[in-house]
Amino acid sequence: MKPNLRKLMPGLLLAFFLSLSGVTGTVRSSASPLNMNHNAAKEVAGEVNQKGLRGDIDRKIKVIPGGQTIGVKVKSAGVLIVGHHLVEVSQQTKTSPGEVCGLQPGDLMISIDGVKLDEVSRVAKIVEHAGKTDAFLSITYKRGGKERVAKLKPAYDRNDKVWRLGLYIRDSAAGVGTLTFYDPNQNVYGALGHVITDMNTGTPIVVGSGHIIQSSVTSISKSQDGDPGEKRATFLKESQVLGNVESNTQFGIFGKMTRNPDHSLYQEPIPVAMGSEVKEGPAQILTVVDGQQVERFNVEIIHVARQPEPATKGMVLRITDTRLIDKTGGIVQGMSGSPIVQNGKLIGAVTHVFVNDPKSGYGCFIEWMLNDSGVLQQNIISPHLKAV
């Protein structure tokens, strides 16, 4: 497996990120800064935030906090371009048809000549046929959310004796993260607390399909100033899928799950707290540092942002538990999604670690994750509606 790409940029925050190659055996998480745009919950946070209504909503919502380490496997809704490469067509000439026609890393190829692309293996057959028949290919792709079309002719690689587009492409990602919550009433879950982006392009992955499975922490590389550590874990019982992956947003991954996974510290749901209820002061995070056992560790919420609409970086937290510091050095990669509990309520999830101070990091408010999962909307009933 190729090593993960780390973007160690001073002053920025590091998030859990998924390695983007086939996975067998040990999986290691790596880091990437966030690059997101999101306002899907604006109505919930703004227009629906009528006096008294918000308090009624959050009192009704109860979910089971997670903390379990999970394996994540996703396939993109198309084939992602992650780079260009030059095809040697003659001793004097090298070219990349994809680059020449304007295709860029981060573009998501949806179809070629009307044939839907759901896996990389489809591309080679289509390209070979076009090359042998001296035909142009019509590639439909997405960039910035807009569909576009590019036309190109494949180039013949004189060394490998195959027709090529001059593109590096990928259709899947895999890695390890932390489950944040499970709602037994609607059988949905949320995890990670931040978006999954492609390791090369930084582009958020548009999920076509995916699933989460059990994972076990085998070792931990401790965090140090300037060098965040990471959890190393193995996927377990791959035939036993815990849930599917339906969406990938700036606040994590979400999907359906039919039961509360093993090793939970909670067997019954607990209340959630909206962002306005979160206070500076003591709290706990739930996470795994060895095997599959979820443990509770003390932290201090040292800053709370007031967010009238969805935004990342809802709170700054600092690890105060000496047990966790001794084991991990602070927040490590793979800890993203670890639930944060304060005064008996689930308030958010760990998302990032400060590079130069790994005992501190950011968390997001749980209400934004609940909104993206659909849990929050299901608990909102307009006061203007009348039952008939």
Side-chain angles (χ1 to χ4, degrees):
M1 186 176 74
K2 294 180 180 179
N4 293 335
L5 177 66
R6 293 188 180 182
K7 300 178 180 178
L8 302 181
M9 303 177 67
L12 290 182
L13 300 170
L14 294 180
F16 158 80
F17 182 68
L18 301 173
S19 70
L20 294 158
S21 58
V23 176
T24 57
T26 300
V27 182
R28 299 176 61 177
S29 58
S30 67
S32 172
L34 290 177
N35 178 19
M36 298 163 281
N37 177 30
H38 179 76
N39 60 7
K42 189 172 183 179
E43 179 180 356
V44 173
E47 287 82 346
V48 183
N49 193 13
Q50 300 153 353
K51 186 176 182 180
L53 180 58
R54 194 69 171 188
D56 291 340
I57 294 167
D58 62 41
R59 279 192 291 272
K60 293 178 182 177
I61 300 176
K62 292 184 177 182
V63 298
I64 299 177
Q68 296 92 333
T69 298
I70 55 172
V72 182
K73 292 186 175 183
V74 294
K75 287 182 70 69
S76 59
V79 173
L80 186 67
I81 298 172
V82 298
H84 300 122
H85 76 90
L86 295 176
V87 181
E88 186 174 331
V89 296
S90 70
Q91 193 169 0
Q92 296 79 27
T93 307
K94 294 181 179 180
T95 184
S96 168
E99 184 176 15
V100 170
C101 78
L103 291 171
Q104 300 177 5
D107 291 344
L108 184 68
M109 297 195 299
I110 305 300
S111 65
I112 300 180
D113 286 350
V115 178
K116 184 178 179 181
L117 299 179
D118 52 10
E119 57 184 39
V120 168
S121 61
R122 280 182 177 265
V123 178
K125 295 177 182 178
I126 298 172
V127 172
E128 181 182 18
H129 181 265
K132 289 181 176 179
T133 57
D134 195 32
F136 276 90
L137 290 172
S138 179
I139 299 177
T140 301
Y141 66 98
K142 281 187 177 181
R143 179 187 299 166
K146 295 182 179 180
E147 277 198 9
R148 309 181 185 206
V149 177
K151 292 186 178 296
L152 60 79
K153 270 189 176 183
Y156 188 70
D157 188 324
R158 63 191 291 266
N159 295 315
D160 295 334
K161 312 298 183 186
V162 294
W163 294 92
R164 299 194 185 279
L165 297 178
L167 299 171
Y168 290 110
I169 57 178
R170 182 159 48 221
D171 64 0
S172 60
V176 174
T178 302
L179 180 71
T180 305
F181 71 86
Y182 168 61
D183 179 3
N185 293 319
Q186 299 180 48
N187 289 328
V188 300
Y189 76 88
L192 305 191
H194 64 77
V195 72
I196 301 173
T197 59
D198 177 75
M199 65 185 297
N200 292 108
T201 67
T203 305
I205 293 176
V206 180
V207 174
S209 63
H211 57 266
I212 59 173
I213 59 179
Q214 288 179 297
S215 184
S216 179
V217 176
T218 57
S219 64
I220 290 179
S221 170
K222 293 179 66 172
S223 282
Q224 302 177 40
D225 291 354
D227 184 16
E230 63 184 344
K231 291 184 182 183
R232 299 185 182 94
T234 55
F235 289 178
L236 298 177
K237 301 180 181 178
E238 297 208 36
S239 60
Q240 183 182 344
V241 174
L242 296 176
N244 66 355
V245 180
E246 296 182 350
S247 61
N248 174 37
T249 81
Q250 67 169 334
F251 295 106
I253 59 170
F254 305 92
K256 293 289 194 299
M257 191 161 64
T258 57
R259 66 177 181 86
N260 188 28
D262 296 337
H263 307 288
S264 176
L265 292 183
Y266 294 83
Q267 300 306 313
E268 298 295 332
I270 68 171
V272 303
M274 298 296 111
S276 59
E277 294 181 74
V278 179
K279 308 296 182 184
E280 294 180 1
Q284 299 82 41
I285 64 170
L286 312 179
T287 199
V288 176
V289 294
D290 186 30
Q292 294 179 271
Q293 185 58 52
V294 179
E295 298 182 65
R296 185 182 283 105
F297 299 99
N298 294 324
V299 301
E300 185 84 7
I301 307 298
I302 59 178
H303 175 72
V304 179
R306 296 308 170 197
Q307 299 176 331
E309 60 183 46
T312 58
K313 304 177 183 177
M315 67 190 92
V316 178
L317 60 105
R318 184 168 182 81
I319 306 296
T320 59
D321 199 308
T322 55
R323 294 179 303 132
L324 187 58
I325 294 172
D326 290 343
K327 182 72 175 180
T328 67
I331 300 171
V332 296
Q333 301 163 58
M335 202 177 283
S336 295
S338 297
I340 307 171
V341 177
Q342 185 179 61
N343 298 325
K345 292 185 176 183
L346 179 61
I347 64 171
V350 177
T351 59
H352 291 74
V353 56
F354 289 110
V355 177
N356 297 324
D357 180 15
K359 294 183 183 67
S360 301
Y362 275 125
C364 69
F365 292 137
I366 195 62
E367 64 178 298
W368 307 138
M369 294 186 70
L370 292 172
N371 184 76
D372 280 5
S373 72
V375 171
L376 193 56
Q377 295 98 318
Q378 290 296 320
N379 283 272
I380 295 175
I381 302 175
S382 171
H384 304 296
L385 295 180
K386 181 178 179 181
V388 293

